[in-house]
Structures are given as structure tokens and as C-alpha cells.
Amino acid sequence: MQVLKIGNLAIAGVPAEVTTMAGRRIKKTLIASLGSAGVNYSVVAALANTYTSYLATREEYAMQWYEGACTPFGPNELAAFQQEYTRLCNAITDGTDVDAGPTPEDVTGQTVDFTAKVVFDDVPLGKVSETFTPSPNQAIRAAILSVRCSGRTSQ
């Protein structure tokens, strides 16, 4: 979990897939906690650094639809996240360090890797590798596509 303050913007790094309403509540928590420091905008950056499945509100958990049913830490998970984001925000406003907490156990040796392995990665037999070498006068151009979406959703 992370909170970054950049001017009047706060960004919450959330290690989960956040439902819309849970995201709204986290954004309100950030603004409420950092408002005295001039923050009036907030962003939720989901799937940051690790993955803890879904983060749903207490009401969504109670309905047990997909997101609520996939919230592994129970109906109070969002409240716990909000509590910790408030703690991180308070550290920002107070200028204090945050205790790192316990180091998780390394279970790397106990995991199973299901990813497909590369068996052969070369030019097929009988084929010649094609290479591209631009001449000194040839221009190489790159394009960046930027897409901005905005809209409203009904509640």
C-alpha cells in the first residue's frame, strides 16, 4: 500500500482490483486525510505492486456477487484499507516515518510455476534471419497514441 502526494493530488497504490464504490470511498479517505495539506484531487492506482484479489465494500460483500465473493479478507476489508491509508496520510502530514511492519514469509520455494517454457527460440531450420539496418540518412520515427476517455456512469 502506498500514498503519494504530488501538489494537490494524492495517489493511492492499491494492491487489489477495486470496485467503483470502494474506489470512491478510498478517494474520499485520501482527500479527507490530506485536505489540510492542500489535497483536493485523488486517484486510485489499482493492481499496484502485488495482487490481493478484489476489494469491495461491505454492501458488495454482503450481496456475494462476483466481486464481493472474491474479496478474501471479509466484509471489513475496505475499512481496514481505509484505516491504513489514513495512517499513511497522517504520516505525510506529520512528516513522520511509517513502521515497515513484519516481513512476510518467503514462500517462493513452495509455489508452482504453470507458465509455458520456451523450448526453441531461434530462426527455423532452413530459414535466414532477416535484419534491419537503417542507412545513416534514413529516419526512424515512433508514434505515441494517447487516448483520453471521459464519461459518466449511472449509480
Side-chain angles (χ1 to χ4, degrees), residues 37-90:
V39 170
N40 53 359
Y41 294 101
S42 60
V43 173
V44 172
L47 302 172
N49 302 319
T50 190
Y51 181 72
T52 59
S53 196
Y54 280 88
L55 177 60
T57 65
R58 182 177 195 79
E59 297 84 2
E60 291 167 331
Y61 184 86
M63 289 191 300
Q64 284 294 292
W65 291 352
Y66 185 81
E67 295 84 355
C70 293
T71 299
F73 301 106
N76 297 316
E77 182 177 4
L78 175 60
F81 271 72
Q82 288 176 289
Q83 171 187 304
E84 291 305 299
Y85 283 120
T86 299
R87 186 173 70 90
L88 293 172
C89 291
N90 291 341

Side-chain angles (χ1 to χ4, degrees), residues 49-149:
N49 302 319
T50 190
Y51 181 72
T52 59
S53 196
Y54 280 88
L55 177 60
T57 65
R58 182 177 195 79
E59 297 84 2
E60 291 167 331
Y61 184 86
M63 289 191 300
Q64 284 294 292
W65 291 352
Y66 185 81
E67 295 84 355
C70 293
T71 299
F73 301 106
N76 297 316
E77 182 177 4
L78 175 60
F81 271 72
Q82 288 176 289
Q83 171 187 304
E84 291 305 299
Y85 283 120
T86 299
R87 186 173 70 90
L88 293 172
C89 291
N90 291 341
I92 290 172
T93 57
D94 299 341
T96 58
D97 290 335
V98 177
D99 179 31
T103 302
E105 178 186 355
D106 183 3
V107 294
T108 307
Q110 302 170 27
T111 60
V112 179
D113 183 4
F114 291 109
T115 58
K117 305 298 180 244
V118 176
V119 178
F120 181 76
D121 188 15
D122 201 357
V123 178
L125 294 174
K127 298 284 184 176
V128 176
S129 174
E130 295 181 20
T131 59
F132 172 73
T133 308
S135 65
N137 297 329
Q138 187 176 7
I140 299 175
R141 297 185 179 145
I144 297 174
L145 174 64
S146 178
V147 178
R148 180 179 173 168
C149 298

Side-chain angles (χ1 to χ4, degrees), residues 16-37:
E17 291 186 59
V18 184
T19 65
T20 302
M21 190 52 67
R24 288 178 183 165
R25 292 181 187 177
I26 290 172
K27 288 173 68 170
K28 286 182 182 179
T29 298
L30 295 177
I31 291 173
S33 300
L34 291 171
S36 63

